[in-house]
Amino acid sequence: MSARTVPRLTATDVAALDPYAFFAVLGKRVIHPGGRRATDELCRQADLREGLQVLDVACGVATTAIAVARRFGAQVTAVDIAPLMLARARANVRVAGLEGKVVVEQGDILALRFPDGAFDRVFAEAVTMFVDRPRAARELIRVCQPGGHILAAEFFWRRPPTAEARRIFLGEVCPGMQFDTLDDWVALYQAARLSDVQVTSGPFEMMTPAGFLSDEGLMYSLAIIGHTVSRWSRLRKMAWLMPRMARAVPYLGYLVVAGVKPA
Ligand SMILES: C[S@@+](CC[C@H](N)C(=O)[O-])C[C@H]1O[C@@H](n2cnc3c(N)ncnc32)[C@H](O)[C@@H]1O
Protein backbone atom coordinates (compact mmCIF):
# COMPACT_ATOMS: atom_id res chain seq x y z
CA MET A 1 0.00 0.00 0.00
CA SER A 2 1.44 3.34 -0.97
CA ALA A 3 1.75 6.10 1.61
CA ARG A 4 0.35 8.50 -1.02
CA THR A 5 -3.04 6.76 -1.05
CA VAL A 6 -3.88 6.81 2.66
CA PRO A 7 -4.07 9.81 4.98
CA ARG A 8 -1.25 10.31 7.51
CA LEU A 9 -2.35 10.13 11.16
CA THR A 10 -1.24 12.32 14.05
CA ALA A 11 -0.26 10.90 17.44
CA THR A 12 -3.71 11.93 18.75
CA ASP A 13 -5.38 10.07 15.89
CA VAL A 14 -3.35 6.94 16.68
CA ALA A 15 -4.24 7.09 20.38
CA ALA A 16 -7.96 7.19 19.48
CA LEU A 17 -7.94 4.22 17.06
CA ASP A 18 -9.80 1.06 17.96
CA PRO A 19 -7.51 -1.99 17.99
CA TYR A 20 -8.62 -3.14 14.54
CA ALA A 21 -8.02 0.17 12.84
CA PHE A 22 -4.69 0.34 14.67
CA PHE A 23 -3.63 -3.02 13.23
CA ALA A 24 -4.70 -1.85 9.77
CA VAL A 25 -2.56 1.27 10.17
CA LEU A 26 0.41 -0.94 11.05
CA GLY A 27 -0.14 -2.88 7.84
CA LYS A 28 -1.76 -6.00 9.32
CA ARG A 29 -3.86 -7.65 6.66
CA VAL A 30 -5.79 -10.29 8.62
CA ILE A 31 -7.86 -8.64 11.34
CA HIS A 32 -10.32 -11.16 12.70
CA PRO A 33 -10.33 -13.95 15.27
CA GLY A 34 -9.35 -17.22 13.64
CA GLY A 35 -7.16 -15.47 11.09
CA ARG A 36 -6.55 -17.05 7.70
CA ARG A 37 -7.60 -20.43 9.07
CA ALA A 38 -11.11 -19.08 9.71
CA THR A 39 -11.22 -17.45 6.26
CA ASP A 40 -10.21 -20.75 4.63
CA GLU A 41 -13.05 -22.42 6.53
CA LEU A 42 -15.50 -19.74 5.37
CA CYS A 43 -14.39 -20.21 1.76
CA ARG A 44 -14.68 -23.99 2.03
CA GLN A 45 -18.20 -23.78 3.45
CA ALA A 46 -19.18 -21.16 0.85
CA ASP A 47 -18.58 -23.51 -2.10
CA LEU A 48 -17.15 -20.61 -4.11
CA ARG A 49 -16.74 -20.61 -7.88
CA GLU A 50 -16.21 -18.30 -10.80
CA GLY A 51 -18.97 -15.86 -11.55
CA LEU A 52 -20.66 -15.89 -8.15
CA GLN A 53 -21.64 -12.50 -6.71
CA VAL A 54 -20.08 -12.24 -3.24
CA LEU A 55 -20.66 -9.53 -0.65
CA ASP A 56 -17.98 -9.04 2.04
CA VAL A 57 -19.50 -6.90 4.77
CA ALA A 58 -17.01 -5.00 6.97
CA CYS A 59 -14.20 -5.85 4.60
CA GLY A 60 -11.47 -4.13 6.62
CA VAL A 61 -8.46 -3.74 4.32
CA ALA A 62 -10.05 -6.12 1.76
CA THR A 63 -7.80 -9.13 2.41
CA THR A 64 -10.64 -11.66 2.20
CA ALA A 65 -12.31 -9.87 -0.73
CA ILE A 66 -9.03 -10.00 -2.68
CA ALA A 67 -8.49 -13.68 -1.84
CA VAL A 68 -12.03 -14.62 -2.89
CA ALA A 69 -11.70 -12.81 -6.22
CA ARG A 70 -8.19 -14.08 -6.91
CA ARG A 71 -8.57 -17.70 -5.83
CA PHE A 72 -12.12 -18.39 -6.96
CA GLY A 73 -12.82 -15.84 -9.71
CA ALA A 74 -15.89 -14.49 -7.90
CA GLN A 75 -17.12 -10.92 -8.37
CA VAL A 76 -16.81 -9.26 -4.96
CA THR A 77 -18.47 -6.20 -3.47
CA ALA A 78 -16.58 -5.16 -0.34
CA VAL A 79 -18.21 -2.70 2.07
CA ASP A 80 -17.02 -1.13 5.30
CA ILE A 81 -18.24 1.76 7.40
CA ALA A 82 -14.84 3.27 8.23
CA PRO A 83 -13.11 5.70 5.83
CA LEU A 84 -9.71 4.62 7.18
CA MET A 85 -10.40 0.97 6.26
CA LEU A 86 -11.93 1.92 2.90
CA ALA A 87 -8.84 3.91 1.91
CA ARG A 88 -6.60 0.94 2.68
CA ALA A 89 -8.97 -1.53 1.04
CA ARG A 90 -9.02 0.49 -2.20
CA ALA A 91 -5.22 0.79 -2.19
CA ASN A 92 -4.82 -2.97 -1.64
CA VAL A 93 -7.30 -3.83 -4.40
CA ARG A 94 -5.42 -1.51 -6.78
CA VAL A 95 -2.03 -3.06 -5.87
CA ALA A 96 -3.53 -6.54 -6.40
CA GLY A 97 -4.68 -5.49 -9.89
CA LEU A 98 -8.25 -6.53 -9.09
CA GLU A 99 -10.15 -3.29 -9.61
CA GLY A 100 -12.48 -4.99 -12.11
CA LYS A 101 -13.22 -7.89 -9.73
CA VAL A 102 -13.48 -6.20 -6.33
CA VAL A 103 -15.62 -3.09 -5.86
CA VAL A 104 -15.06 -1.28 -2.55
CA GLU A 105 -17.73 1.03 -1.17
CA GLN A 106 -18.98 2.49 2.08
CA GLY A 107 -21.84 0.69 3.78
CA ASP A 108 -23.36 -0.11 7.17
CA ILE A 109 -24.17 -3.71 8.05
CA LEU A 110 -27.36 -2.46 9.71
CA ALA A 111 -28.71 -0.78 6.55
CA LEU A 112 -27.14 -2.18 3.38
CA ARG A 113 -28.16 -0.38 0.20
CA PHE A 114 -28.62 -3.61 -1.79
CA PRO A 115 -31.99 -5.11 -2.71
CA ASP A 116 -33.21 -8.40 -1.26
CA GLY A 117 -31.41 -11.43 -2.71
CA ALA A 118 -28.69 -9.41 -4.49
CA PHE A 119 -25.80 -11.79 -3.69
CA ASP A 120 -25.04 -15.52 -3.98
CA ARG A 121 -22.74 -15.48 -0.95
CA VAL A 122 -22.53 -13.06 1.97
CA PHE A 123 -19.44 -12.91 4.21
CA ALA A 124 -19.16 -11.05 7.52
CA GLU A 125 -15.91 -11.52 9.39
CA ALA A 126 -15.73 -10.01 12.87
CA VAL A 127 -18.36 -7.29 12.65
CA THR A 128 -21.73 -8.50 13.89
CA MET A 129 -20.42 -8.42 17.45
CA PHE A 130 -19.89 -4.64 17.24
CA VAL A 131 -23.48 -3.75 16.39
CA ASP A 132 -27.13 -4.67 17.03
CA ARG A 133 -26.56 -8.39 16.44
CA PRO A 134 -30.08 -9.62 15.57
CA ARG A 135 -30.58 -6.70 13.16
CA ALA A 136 -27.19 -7.29 11.52
CA ALA A 137 -27.89 -11.02 11.09
CA ARG A 138 -31.26 -10.25 9.47
CA GLU A 139 -29.62 -7.78 7.09
CA LEU A 140 -26.94 -10.29 6.02
CA ILE A 141 -29.66 -12.83 5.25
CA ARG A 142 -31.92 -10.29 3.50
CA VAL A 143 -29.32 -9.41 0.84
CA CYS A 144 -28.54 -13.08 0.11
CA GLN A 145 -30.57 -14.88 -2.50
CA PRO A 146 -32.70 -17.87 -1.44
CA GLY A 147 -30.48 -20.96 -1.41
CA GLY A 148 -27.38 -18.76 -1.07
CA HIS A 149 -24.82 -19.08 1.72
CA ILE A 150 -24.21 -16.72 4.62
CA LEU A 151 -20.88 -17.01 6.44
CA ALA A 152 -19.74 -15.22 9.57
CA ALA A 153 -16.66 -15.32 11.77
CA GLU A 154 -17.09 -14.18 15.36
CA PHE A 155 -15.39 -14.10 18.75
CA PHE A 156 -16.77 -16.23 21.56
CA TRP A 157 -15.78 -17.16 25.10
CA ARG A 158 -14.18 -20.56 24.66
CA ARG A 159 -14.20 -21.03 28.37
CA PRO A 160 -15.88 -18.87 30.99
CA PRO A 161 -13.68 -15.77 31.43
CA THR A 162 -12.66 -14.40 34.76
CA ALA A 163 -14.46 -11.18 35.67
CA GLU A 164 -11.15 -9.38 35.09
CA ALA A 165 -10.62 -10.84 31.59
CA ARG A 166 -14.20 -9.93 30.59
CA ARG A 167 -13.88 -6.42 31.98
CA ILE A 168 -10.52 -5.78 30.33
CA PHE A 169 -11.47 -7.15 26.91
CA LEU A 170 -15.04 -5.88 26.54
CA GLY A 171 -14.61 -2.78 28.69
CA GLU A 172 -11.14 -1.50 27.80
CA VAL A 173 -9.76 -3.20 24.66
CA CYS A 174 -12.95 -3.38 22.60
CA PRO A 175 -15.60 -1.23 24.28
CA GLY A 176 -19.08 -1.85 22.92
CA MET A 177 -18.31 -5.31 21.57
CA GLN A 178 -20.79 -8.03 22.61
CA PHE A 179 -20.48 -11.78 22.39
CA ASP A 180 -21.13 -14.79 24.53
CA THR A 181 -21.04 -18.52 23.91
CA LEU A 182 -21.04 -20.61 20.75
CA ASP A 183 -24.65 -21.65 21.41
CA ASP A 184 -25.71 -18.00 21.66
CA TRP A 185 -24.31 -17.28 18.19
CA VAL A 186 -26.06 -20.29 16.70
CA ALA A 187 -29.34 -19.23 18.32
CA LEU A 188 -28.90 -15.69 16.99
CA TYR A 189 -28.47 -16.80 13.38
CA GLN A 190 -31.23 -19.39 13.64
CA ALA A 191 -33.57 -16.71 14.99
CA ALA A 192 -32.71 -14.65 11.89
CA ARG A 193 -33.96 -17.67 9.85
CA LEU A 194 -30.64 -19.11 8.71
CA SER A 195 -31.03 -22.80 7.97
CA ASP A 196 -28.59 -25.75 7.80
CA VAL A 197 -26.40 -23.96 10.33
CA GLN A 198 -22.88 -25.41 10.68
CA VAL A 199 -20.36 -24.19 13.23
CA THR A 200 -16.63 -24.72 13.54
CA SER A 201 -14.46 -23.17 16.21
CA GLY A 202 -10.94 -22.91 17.51
CA PRO A 203 -8.66 -20.89 19.78
CA PHE A 204 -8.01 -17.18 19.27
CA GLU A 205 -4.50 -17.15 17.84
CA MET A 206 -4.42 -13.94 15.82
CA MET A 207 -2.26 -12.19 18.40
CA THR A 208 -0.08 -15.13 19.46
CA PRO A 209 3.38 -15.25 17.81
CA ALA A 210 2.48 -18.45 15.91
CA GLY A 211 -0.87 -17.09 14.74
CA PHE A 212 0.65 -13.78 13.71
CA LEU A 213 3.38 -15.49 11.67
CA SER A 214 0.97 -17.89 10.06
CA ASP A 215 -1.42 -15.07 9.06
CA GLU A 216 1.13 -12.54 7.85
CA GLY A 217 4.25 -14.53 6.93
CA LEU A 218 7.76 -13.65 8.09
CA MET A 219 8.43 -10.61 5.88
CA TYR A 220 5.08 -8.95 6.60
CA SER A 221 5.42 -9.67 10.32
CA LEU A 222 8.82 -7.97 10.34
CA ALA A 223 7.39 -5.03 8.38
CA ILE A 224 4.54 -4.67 10.93
CA ILE A 225 7.06 -4.68 13.78
CA GLY A 226 9.04 -2.04 11.87
CA HIS A 227 5.93 0.11 11.42
CA THR A 228 5.18 -0.23 15.15
CA VAL A 229 8.56 0.85 16.39
CA SER A 230 8.95 3.61 13.80
CA ARG A 231 6.73 6.03 15.76
CA TRP A 232 6.48 6.64 19.48
CA SER A 233 2.65 6.96 19.32
CA ARG A 234 2.35 3.46 17.84
CA LEU A 235 4.80 1.89 20.26
CA ARG A 236 2.96 3.47 23.20
CA LYS A 237 -0.39 2.17 21.98
CA MET A 238 0.99 -1.33 21.41
CA ALA A 239 2.53 -1.32 24.90
CA TRP A 240 -0.92 -0.50 26.32
CA LEU A 241 -2.76 -3.03 24.15
CA MET A 242 -0.66 -6.19 24.31
CA PRO A 243 -0.72 -6.90 28.06
CA ARG A 244 -4.50 -6.36 28.08
CA MET A 245 -5.02 -8.68 25.13
CA ALA A 246 -2.81 -11.29 26.80
CA ARG A 247 -5.15 -11.34 29.84
CA ALA A 248 -8.15 -12.27 27.65
CA VAL A 249 -6.54 -14.55 25.03
CA PRO A 250 -6.70 -17.78 27.09
CA TYR A 251 -10.51 -17.49 27.28
CA LEU A 252 -11.19 -16.37 23.71
CA GLY A 253 -11.98 -18.38 20.63
CA TYR A 254 -13.21 -17.87 17.12
CA LEU A 255 -16.13 -19.52 15.45
CA VAL A 256 -17.35 -19.72 11.91
CA VAL A 257 -21.12 -19.88 11.43
CA ALA A 258 -22.25 -21.01 8.00
CA GLY A 259 -25.79 -21.48 6.78
CA VAL A 260 -28.19 -21.22 3.90
CA LYS A 261 -31.02 -18.77 3.28
CA PRO A 262 -34.19 -20.83 3.01
CA ALA A 263 -35.85 -20.91 -0.39
C1 LIG B 1 -12.42 -6.64 13.32
S1 LIG B 1 -12.47 -5.67 11.88
C2 LIG B 1 -12.68 -6.94 10.65
C3 LIG B 1 -12.21 -6.52 9.30
C4 LIG B 1 -12.24 -7.59 8.23
N1 LIG B 1 -13.55 -8.20 8.10
C5 LIG B 1 -11.23 -8.67 8.50
O1 LIG B 1 -11.61 -9.76 8.86
O2 LIG B 1 -10.03 -8.41 8.37
C6 LIG B 1 -14.10 -4.98 11.99
C7 LIG B 1 -14.49 -4.17 10.79
O3 LIG B 1 -15.88 -3.84 10.90
C8 LIG B 1 -16.06 -2.54 10.39
N2 LIG B 1 -17.36 -2.07 10.90
C9 LIG B 1 -17.69 -1.74 12.16
N3 LIG B 1 -18.98 -1.39 12.25
C10 LIG B 1 -19.50 -1.54 11.00
C11 LIG B 1 -20.79 -1.34 10.45
N4 LIG B 1 -21.81 -0.90 11.20
N5 LIG B 1 -20.99 -1.60 9.14
C12 LIG B 1 -19.94 -2.00 8.36
N6 LIG B 1 -18.69 -2.18 8.83
C13 LIG B 1 -18.46 -1.96 10.13
C14 LIG B 1 -14.85 -1.81 10.89
O4 LIG B 1 -14.63 -0.60 10.20
C15 LIG B 1 -13.77 -2.85 10.65
O5 LIG B 1 -13.21 -2.75 9.37
Side-chain angles (χ1 to χ4, degrees):
M1 186 185 348
S2 142
R4 282 179 298 112
T5 54
V6 292
R8 203 186 159 102
L9 301 176
T10 65
T12 313
D13 295 333
V14 171
L17 292 172
D18 66 49
Y20 302 104
F22 179 54
F23 291 135
V25 166
L26 297 180
K28 193 162 186 351
R29 298 167 298 172
V30 180
I31 316 178
H32 55 261
R36 286 195 196 269
R37 191 202 299 182
T39 302
D40 288 346
E41 182 61 29
L42 252 72
C43 292
R44 194 183 65 73
Q45 301 256 14
D47 188 22
L48 292 166
R49 53 187 181 275
E50 193 160 353
L52 288 180
Q53 291 288 335
V54 176
L55 176 66
D56 184 16
V57 182
C59 63
V61 298
T63 306
T64 295
I66 289 169
V68 166
R70 187 182 270 152
R71 284 168 53 194
F72 301 97
Q75 184 69 40
V76 185
T77 302
V79 307
D80 201 284
I81 203 164
L84 182 148
M85 292 298 200
L86 290 165
R88 283 163 172 78
R90 290 194 179 104
N92 289 341
V93 168
R94 199 162 40 245
V95 168
L98 286 168
E99 281 168 298
K101 293 293 276 182
V102 181
V103 175
V104 178
E105 62 175 70
Q106 191 161 35
D108 182 345
I109 190 172
L110 296 177
L112 295 166
R113 71 166 182 85
F114 310 106
D116 296 1
F119 295 94
D120 303 299
R121 306 285 184 267
V122 178
F123 281 43
E125 290 179 296
V127 58
T128 310
M129 56 199 170
F130 292 107
V131 296
D132 176 336
R133 292 175 292 173
R135 192 170 150 200
R138 286 197 300 275
E139 192 64 351
L140 296 174
I141 294 166
R142 181 186 70 75
V143 297
C144 189
Q145 67 160 257
H149 298 238
I150 292 103
L151 307 112
E154 316 281 6
F155 266 123
F156 79 114
W157 293 116
R158 220 162 155 246
R159 56 194 182 94
T162 60
E164 185 203 36
R166 181 183 276 273
R167 178 184 56 73
I168 288 177
F169 196 69
L170 299 183
E172 296 181 22
V173 177
C174 298
M177 195 194 269
Q178 297 176 62
F179 58 85
D180 290 296
T181 64
L182 190 145
D183 291 341
D184 293 325
W185 279 116
V186 172
L188 177 93
Y189 280 98
Q190 283 175 333
R193 299 205 54 246
L194 193 65
S195 71
D196 302 338
V197 175
Q198 312 275 333
V199 192
T200 50
S201 67
F204 173 59
E205 288 175 338
M206 187 184 109
M207 294 310 295
T208 63
F212 205 100
L213 263 177
S214 139
D215 283 346
E216 303 297 341
L218 182 61
M219 297 316 286
Y220 252 93
S221 298
L222 292 175
I224 292 165
I225 293 169
H227 291 148
T228 307
V229 299
S230 68
R231 304 237 178 99
W232 173 237
S233 58
R234 297 174 179 179
L235 201 51
R236 191 171 45 204
K237 190 168 182 85
M238 193 61 97
W240 179 88
L241 192 56
M242 290 312 291
R244 286 168 175 78
M245 295 277 288
R247 305 292 267 277
V249 162
Y251 306 97
L252 289 168
Y254 78 90
L255 59 83
V256 169
V257 182
V260 173
K261 177 168 176 172

